[in-house]
Amino acid sequence: MTTTNEISPRADMRRGLHACWRGLRMLAATAVVGVALAACTGEQFQKGYILPPGALEQIPIGASQDQVLIVMGTPSTVATLDGEVFYYISQRSERPVAFMNQRVVDQRVIAVYFDKSRRVRRLANYGLQDGKIFDFISRTTPTSGQEMSYLTPLFKLLSFN
């Protein structure tokens, strides 16, 4: 009697299905890990005015206020100190991971100073190193009242007044 090492077609098909399911599970696990890592990647945020490329070169000293409005657009804010000043304000920040706080990378304030005849007197491009970042709306108001320490109530209890 001779024995052969032949595998039945049914067992061969089961092994093929098992390998197929194992491959699909590996593919699904890889996709889940990829999606989870993609959700944690960093983000960049641009707030405020976006300076068009070459815009500052189009505004020479002595240009009219209308020409500045055509090239740069409406300013973020306007001041009327010794003539008029247009301010174009922008800020770029990023966070390396989705759940972390934002960190300011660049901050720009472009100031266009005008003289009394509404002509450009001076251009200034202030960056992050030119100023201090602070929160304009902190929603807290410092008071000048008396601060109480943890010993104050104890001394009030012991006093005989």
Side-chain angles (χ1 to χ4, degrees):
M1 173 172 178
T2 60
T3 55
T4 60
N5 289 336
E6 289 184 23
I7 301 172
S8 70
R10 183 177 256 178
D12 191 33
M13 189 166 81
R14 270 192 239 131
R15 283 190 191 131
L17 285 175
H18 182 67
C20 180
W21 279 112
R22 188 174 9 161
L24 284 175
R25 282 186 290 190
M26 287 294 288
L27 181 65
T30 304
V32 166
V33 168
V35 167
L37 287 176
C40 292
T41 59
E43 298 174 281
Q44 288 192 350
F45 304 94
Q46 176 74 37
K47 300 173 188 170
Y49 180 77
I50 298 175
L51 181 68
L56 290 178
E57 290 80 24
Q58 296 179 22
I59 303 172
I61 302 298
S64 70
Q65 199 174 51
D66 292 334
Q67 184 178 354
V68 172
L69 288 170
I70 289 170
V71 172
M72 301 280 286
T74 305
S76 302
T77 187
V78 176
T80 54
L81 308 164
D82 191 37
E84 206 166 8
V85 184
F86 286 178
Y87 292 105
Y88 297 90
I89 304 168
S90 68
Q91 185 180 70
R92 192 168 52 93
S93 60
E94 63 183 24
R95 61 178 168 197
V97 182
F99 57 84
M100 294 181 75
N101 290 333
Q102 294 181 20
R103 181 176 58 89
V104 175
V105 176
D106 188 28
Q107 179 173 294
R108 294 270 151 215
V109 176
I110 298 167
V112 183
Y113 296 92
F114 297 97
D115 58 13
K116 299 287 184 189
S117 62
R118 302 177 83 173
R119 297 276 176 192
V120 175
R121 178 178 40 143
R122 182 170 72 107
L123 290 171
N125 190 353
Y126 301 110
L128 186 61
Q129 69 279 2
D130 295 320
K132 180 182 174 190
I133 300 173
F134 60 93
D135 186 11
F136 284 100
I137 305 173
S138 62
R139 304 224 189 278
T140 59
T141 304
T143 60
S144 59
Q146 179 183 1
E147 289 189 29
M148 294 177 47
S149 69
Y150 63 92
L151 293 175
T152 304
L154 182 65
F155 288 134
K156 284 187 177 181
L157 283 175
L158 296 175
S159 69
F160 295 106
N161 293 343

